[in-house]
Amino acid sequence: MAHTKSPHRAMMFVVAMLLLSIAAWTGAAQPSPAEQQQPALLHLEIRDAIGPATSSFFLRALERAQERNVRLVVLEMDTPGGLDSAMREMIQAILASPVPVVIYISPSGARAASAGTYLLYASHVAAMAPATNLGAATPVEIGGPSEPKKDQPRDAQKPEQPDNASERKAVNDAVSLIRGLAELRDRNADWGEAAVRQAVSLTARAALEQKVIDVVATDLQDLLSQLEGRKIKTRYGVVQLATKDLVREEFRADWRTKLLSIVTNPNVAYLLMLVGVYGLLLEGYNPGSFAPGVAGAVCLLLALYAFQILSVNYAGLALIALGIALIVAEAFAPSFGALGVGGVVAFTIGSIMLFDGQVPGFRIARGLIGGVAVTAAIGMLLTAGMFMRSRRARVATGVEQMLQEHAVALEDFDSAGRVDIRGEIWRAVTRTPVKKGARLKVLRVDGLTLEVAPGEQ
């Protein structure tokens, strides 16, 4: 009887633990009924350049807002700009959102430059804190803008026009986008076009006076109080905001977003590429060590992933590859530094060109490039110095090395006998009689026989 009860008790205990675990998991994953019934505000922050990581983070926030029936989404933003593809994904999500989206440029001293200006125009409510600014929304192509023609006069009354067809296409496309957003949100379309064509900027107060934004608020609480009762036109109809007594819910970046932000940082992607290349090189020099090869392969794959979603100048990437190849070739070819110096120069120029220096927030720090270039140059010089010293050093192995050694006679002999050299006993022949313990010089090696002669005592 005792044997039959214990399995049942164990089974009941396991089932009870499973039920408790499921209840705890569902309770943690699902909000309480009181929380579901109470109106909520979803608050998130973006304090960096607009890229794939920020776009994914923002889209997941809007999905969360729809799942939780949130009344309002407030995005506090401070951005220097970013990538066009990520910006357009965020704009499409805002335009399709049934939940009103408020973009608030905060705190004081923050900005909504370049891509941030387009996002501000797309938002249902555009707000700024005092002492903030927006504008400078001219699109920039990879490789930087072309040089203006110095001999062509410009009319100060007309907006500055790009010099080549590709830039004109990009600018006209951006103008169409920002004017369309301005017409949809009833904002100043002419100023938006000037921000694109002439890269003009505005302060918060000036933007409010020119109907570029809707609200100037000192903080989030002031913003919510000013939005009370305001009617917002969404894709699904007009919504009247009721911002009093809203429960503030924070939406923070998860580990995936943080990891993606780190990997796609141009400085980190650049270092990952270097670690990957040098790791594979070390594995090639020392086959079977595995650790450098594995680390190099992982870092190189992460770098290639980052390059697919960053504004990469492939000419710069090719110059970096050429520079690394020349530096490696210096270790095998006796060029006395010519290949190494050329490799360092190509590596440095390619590093400067690697990421588009004109896209805000996606630049490689010049100090990092200089440090890597100096380190590569020092490594190349040290390698060249080691090879020069090795050429002047004594031979350490083989027959040539034995010709520089001295043997000690183990017995008296006139023509043939035994000698000790480097702790080994060899057969030796001589033309001069030798006494036991005499120091002998090796003249020639013939198979396993040494020809010796009396040396210095």
Side-chain angles (χ1 to χ4, degrees):
M1 192 111 180
H3 293 286
T4 58
K5 282 185 178 180
S6 57
H8 288 292
R9 289 179 180 176
M11 182 64 68
M12 291 176 62
F13 177 77
V14 171
V15 172
M17 291 299 295
L18 287 174
L19 292 175
L20 288 174
S21 301
I22 294 173
W25 178 81
T26 54
Q30 300 291 336
S32 64
E35 289 179 345
Q36 288 183 336
Q37 294 175 1
Q38 195 169 8
L41 175 149
L42 190 66
H43 176 260
L44 63 151
E45 295 182 357
I46 293 179
R47 307 288 185 191
D48 203 351
I50 304 299
T54 52
S55 173
S56 174
F57 169 64
F58 180 72
L59 267 58
R60 286 188 289 106
L62 292 186
E63 292 176 359
R64 174 71 173 272
Q66 295 180 36
E67 293 172 356
R68 297 287 300 273
N69 294 321
V70 168
R71 297 286 183 86
L72 191 66
V73 174
V74 177
L75 167 61
E76 283 197 54
M77 189 168 65
D78 177 15
T79 178
L83 301 181
D84 176 79
S85 57
M87 174 198 74
R88 288 180 181 268
E89 287 182 357
M90 296 174 69
I91 289 176
Q92 292 172 6
I94 293 173
L95 298 181
S97 174
V99 182
V101 177
V102 178
I103 293 185
Y104 179 38
I105 308 305
S106 173
S108 296
R111 58 177 170 167
S114 190
T117 301
Y118 296 88
L119 292 172
L120 206 61
Y121 263 78
S123 63
H124 297 93
V125 177
M128 298 176 69
T132 57
N133 66 284
L134 81 160
T138 304
V140 180
E141 294 183 351
I142 295 176
S146 60
E147 293 294 331
K149 298 177 181 178
K150 298 181 180 180
D151 57 347
Q152 180 180 355
R154 298 193 182 275
D155 189 349
Q157 301 299 325
K158 295 181 180 180
E160 184 176 345
Q161 295 294 332
D163 293 325
N164 57 58
S166 61
E167 289 183 2
R168 286 196 297 271
K169 288 180 181 179
V171 169
N172 291 334
D173 180 64
V175 167
S176 299
L177 173 62
I178 203 165
R179 289 194 74 94
L181 296 173
E183 293 170 2
L184 179 65
R185 303 302 187 203
D186 192 24
R187 298 197 175 109
N188 192 331
D190 293 335
W191 185 88
E193 181 173 352
V196 175
R197 294 193 184 277
Q198 303 174 16
V200 297
S201 298
L202 274 182
T203 62
R205 289 296 174 187
L208 182 63
E209 293 172 358
Q210 298 190 33
K211 292 189 66 177
V212 175
I213 62 172
D214 305 305
V215 177
V216 173
T218 56
D219 53 25
L220 183 58
Q221 192 62 38
D222 183 26
L223 173 64
L224 295 178
S225 64
Q226 294 189 49
L227 294 181
E228 175 66 28
R230 182 183 290 264
K231 293 183 178 180
I232 302 298
K233 183 181 178 181
T234 68
R235 184 179 180 181
Y236 301 93
V238 178
V239 177
Q240 185 173 5
L241 299 180
T243 56
K244 289 185 178 179
D245 302 325
L246 286 179
V247 176
R248 179 174 169 181
E249 179 182 345
E250 295 289 342
F251 187 81
R252 303 187 185 279
D254 58 0
W255 67 269
R256 177 181 176 276
T257 302
K258 293 178 180 178
L259 178 62
L260 187 60
S261 299
I262 293 173
V263 171
T264 55
N265 183 291
N267 295 309
V268 176
Y270 177 65
L271 292 175
L272 286 173
M273 181 195 66
L274 294 179
V275 173
V277 170
Y278 281 107
L280 295 180
L281 287 176
L282 290 175
E283 181 66 28
Y285 292 149
N286 302 279
S289 55
F290 297 115
V294 172
V298 172
C299 291
L300 195 58
L301 288 175
L302 289 174
L304 293 176
Y305 170 76
F307 291 161
Q308 292 176 359
I309 51 182
L310 289 177
S311 297
V312 178
N313 189 320
Y314 290 97
L317 193 60
L319 281 172
I320 288 179
L322 175 62
I324 292 175
L326 291 176
I327 293 173
V328 173
E330 175 66 31
F332 299 96
S335 67
F336 300 99
L339 291 175
V341 171
V344 171
V345 172
F347 184 88
T348 304
I349 296 175
S351 299
I352 296 174
M353 296 174 57
L354 179 60
F355 294 107
D356 181 14
Q358 302 296 326
V359 177
F362 290 91
R363 302 182 179 95
I364 298 181
R366 298 298 172 88
L368 177 62
I369 295 175
V372 172
V374 170
T375 303
I378 293 175
M380 183 269 296
L381 293 175
L382 290 176
T383 303
M386 290 173 61
F387 273 95
M388 294 299 293
R389 287 196 299 271
S390 67
R391 290 173 65 90
R392 293 192 298 265
R394 295 175 58 186
V395 179
T397 59
V399 174
E400 291 81 2
Q401 189 269 341
M402 295 191 68
L403 296 177
Q404 301 175 5
E405 296 287 341
H406 286 81
V408 177
L410 297 178
E411 58 188 1
D412 297 338
F413 58 91
D414 295 333
S415 59
R418 297 180 304 159
V419 297
D420 177 22
I421 182 171
R422 297 185 307 183
E424 301 172 355
I425 299 176
W426 284 68
R427 180 176 181 274
V429 296
T430 181
R431 298 177 182 178
T432 305
V434 172
K435 298 293 184 179
K436 181 179 179 180
R439 183 180 174 88
L440 306 173
K441 181 180 179 180
V442 179
L443 301 177
R444 189 168 64 89
V445 179
D446 183 13
L448 298 178
T449 302
L450 304 178
E451 182 179 348
V452 298
E456 297 179 358
Q457 299 301 319

